[in-house]
Amino acid sequence: MLHTGSSPLLALLRHSIAGALLLLALVRPLHAGDNSPTAFAENEVKAAFVYNFAHFVRWPEGHSLRPGEPFRYCVLDDALAVLLAKAVAGETLDGHPLIVQRQPDPRNFQECHLIYFGDQSAISPGTQTELLRRLTGPILTVSDQPGFAARGGMITLTHKRGRIHPIINTDAIERTELRVSAKLLNLATLTRDGKGSAP
Amino acid sequence: MPKSLAKPLLLAALASSTVPASADDSLYALKQMSLDELADLRVSTATHRSERLEDTAAAIHVLTAEDIRRSGATSLPELLRTVPGLNVARISATEWAVSARGFNNQFANKLLVMVDGRSVYTPFFSGVLWDELNIVMQDIEHIEIVRGPGGSTWGANAVNGVINIITRHAEDTQGTLLSVVGGDLQSEIVLRNGFKAGESGHARVWAKLHQNDRLGGTPDDSEDIHWRGGRAGFRGDWEMAGGNLMVEGESFRELKRQERAYSGAHLLGQWSRTSDEARDELRAYFNRFTLDHWMVLNNGARAELDTFDLGYRHHFAPIGGHNLIAGVGYRNVASDAQMTPPAGVSRSSRTDQLFSAFAEDTLALAERLQLTVGVKVEHNEFTGLEWQPSARMRWTPTKGSTVWASVARAVRTPSIIEDSARVTSYIGPRAFTNGLPLFVNSNGNPNLNAERLIAYELGYRAQVNPRLSFDASVFLNDYDRLVTVDMIGAPRLVPSLPSPYLTWNALAGNSLKGKASGFELSVDYRPADTWRVQASYTYLDMNMSALPGNTEINPLRAAGESPAHQATLISRHDLRHDLELDLQARYVSALSTYSIPDYLTADLRLGWRATSRLDLAFNGRNLIGPARKEFGTNLVNASDAYLIPREYYVTANLRF
């Protein structure tokens, strides 16, 4: 018979685990326990998405992102700007420091690499459509407002079954030199100019 | 992007609630998550029961849709090769042996596999027909793989592991997908359409056709044959009355001429409702599976199994320090099985009922220490009452690191074949038969006991920094009453001319016990935002010992059917925003039972996102070394297995 049995180490392990668990099973809970699970606020998850977009979209080298210059997130949403600023603190992207500009003047939008239109942005939908139309060059536009894609915006963060879900207007992206990674395209719902922000 | 081990899980029962986090903590955690993980996080204010991998006291691995896509795999077993600690060996175009922690075999029977909660483990012979399970890979949302027992949650046959395949919500598959695979050994076409179904719902319909060509001939030049199949199905998801209703169904036929033909259909409905911190889940399905024709060890079989399954579970809102989940289940399997004489099934027509109930409580023993105790009690018609308890402890000494330990009992219940079939196996000339061919007539035994396992596990996982994480587990599995084929008396000479042979009668028994121990290590490292490397090593040591009454021909063969050493290296590199290079290399040590030497091989994939709506991938598999056998079939040698050759194929996915 080839039976050699288990090693003494494993036998010891087995007995100690069994002993520890048995002991613990006999112990009553020490206290009611703070059992509240990790809660992620909606804005935090949105901030994490926006933070990530810089990594999953490619900006053309050259005029818009010169060596050593910072990568600018322009955020028209006070709450999100605070969270995003915390997220990017000390981080870089291919050697470019990441910075967050809160409520920048629309006249300076051309300096942004990413613009986030939040709920608090005091820009009317009509003005927004006009602004988006006037933006030229590789600037990623993101928002959580319904109908953003239909107004020419690129990425809309929507709610889907209690989760945050990106919708990408591929027509808006393709009008620029921005290139979205395969990973992000696979995850998102793709839409086109004519289709509004559905589904 | 840095990616943590954290993954939202549906394995609610294995997970425990998490420690609270401050706003800065949660932002830090979110930053470390991948896009997939972010998109999978629930943010509603109603419930935040986000079970995460790092919170689970078990050896668990999750394959995300992204992992599945980048594996390039066109079948489940080929995909499972990328999972640390699983052993996958291909036998032929249609057959694979898949197991965890030992006991791998063409009829590996200690791994429970489910698709959306529907068991695809067949009670006919105890095991999974992977060629039946040819589901649309693009529809998989994620796959949870647990190494180690899951009996206290999932019931019998979750002995060495559980594989839980979760398909995508219909809302996630809107629009049209046309997917094509073409290569030197396989071709496939999938057409899927997703649409809105009413005000509050979504649906999809799909159809898939495939053909897998024969693999290389064996040394004696017998040839494998084509395998073809097709399937069509639907899934709908609706939000109504404060809950979610999911209905899915599929019908399929898989055909390998002269060897096997399967057909089947299922319809599954699931109602779930989450309110405050509590959750209800009600699931019912009907599954018809027909082996229109099946050849196993030269015995022809035909079987039809109609399964009806009903299950309910309730996740209670936390009470005091307790987090309780409880559930009940009922399953009815009406089967009709025939085998070609001289093989046969003594109880060819039968109805087997299974009643089950389970409860599980997670309690906080201290701020960072949690204990989960659970038990599942089942009554089945083969062995009566079976109980499967478990105790799991989780300690999180620091943020991002977890130490866990568990003790669990699990059982495998006998199959219809083990219970009541008479099967003839050709063993061939052996030393002890004086060169004469031997036929073994093995008989099922209705008095069999369930196989029994007591498993001890210890694990540690840590997120060392945003770019580096690792996972280690050690286990000792103590098996008893393993099912055996015990020989009765002596072989009898049949003096037929010109070729006399021996026959030997055998009866199924429970006369083997043994221990399997080992450890599994895996590392996940991101050298750059565009590069991820995963490496794993698995060690396994099996010591079987025959109990009195064991008169098997090769009683200790299981130890030589699973490799002692396995290592994998996976590299996923984004060369450009639209170009992906993926490498999957694996080393598998020798299998003494089948005299199969160790091997090293690798797969490569080059993925190209041609446009935002079209992606292409070029795949090469088994790129190192010559065609080789990976396993055997007839219990004593590899003569019926095929050489697994190098293979090339292109995949294209068009969305419109």
Side-chain angles (χ1 to χ4, degrees), chain A residues 51 55 90-95, chain B residues 1-5 28 31-33 462-470 523-535:
Chain A
Y51 167 76
H55 296 80
E91 301 277 348
T92 60
L93 173 70
D94 299 332
Chain B
M1 271 281 72
K3 175 172 180 158
S4 74
L5 279 165
Y28 174 82
K31 255 176 76 177
Q32 292 183 24
M33 290 185 195
Q463 184 81 42
V464 179
N465 62 47
R467 295 195 179 275
L468 178 67
S469 65
F470 69 92
V523 179
D524 193 319
Y525 178 54
R526 284 157 196 278
D529 287 346
T530 52
W531 190 17
R532 180 179 182 194
V533 180
Q534 294 160 288

Side-chain angles (χ1 to χ4, degrees), chain A residues 4 10 13-14 24 30 32 35-38 44 52 55 86-87 91 160-163 174 179 183 186, chain B residues 1 17-18 24 26 31 38 40-41 43 66 69 169 171-172 321 365 393 456 458 529 543 577 612:
Chain A
T4 57
L10 282 165
L13 176 74
R14 179 180 59 159
L24 285 167
L30 295 180
N35 249 350
S36 67
T38 310
E44 291 175 342
N52 264 297
H55 296 80
K86 263 188 209 161
E91 301 277 348
K160 188 158 107 177
R161 303 193 305 279
R163 296 168 173 88
E174 279 157 19
R179 291 295 169 258
K183 196 170 280 177
N186 271 305
Chain B
M1 271 281 72
S17 66
T18 58
D24 281 2
S26 59
K31 255 176 76 177
L38 282 175
D40 223 5
L41 278 182
V43 295
E66 178 72 0
R69 185 179 73 81
H169 192 283
E171 193 179 358
D172 296 337
L365 296 171
M393 200 176 65
Y456 307 85
L458 188 62
D529 287 346
N543 286 294
H577 75 282
S612 56

Side-chain angles (χ1 to χ4, degrees), chain A residues 128-144:
Chain A
Q128 195 186 70
T129 310
E130 185 56 22
L131 270 172
L132 288 168
R133 203 176 56 75
R134 282 215 312 267
L135 283 179
T136 53
I139 302 169
L140 187 74
T141 56
V142 185
S143 178
D144 60 355

Side-chain angles (χ1 to χ4, degrees), chain B residues 560 590-598 629 631-632 636-638:
Chain B
L591 302 181
S592 60
T593 297
Y594 302 116
S595 306
I596 287 178
D598 62 339
K629 289 188 179 186
F631 213 73
V636 283
N637 63 47

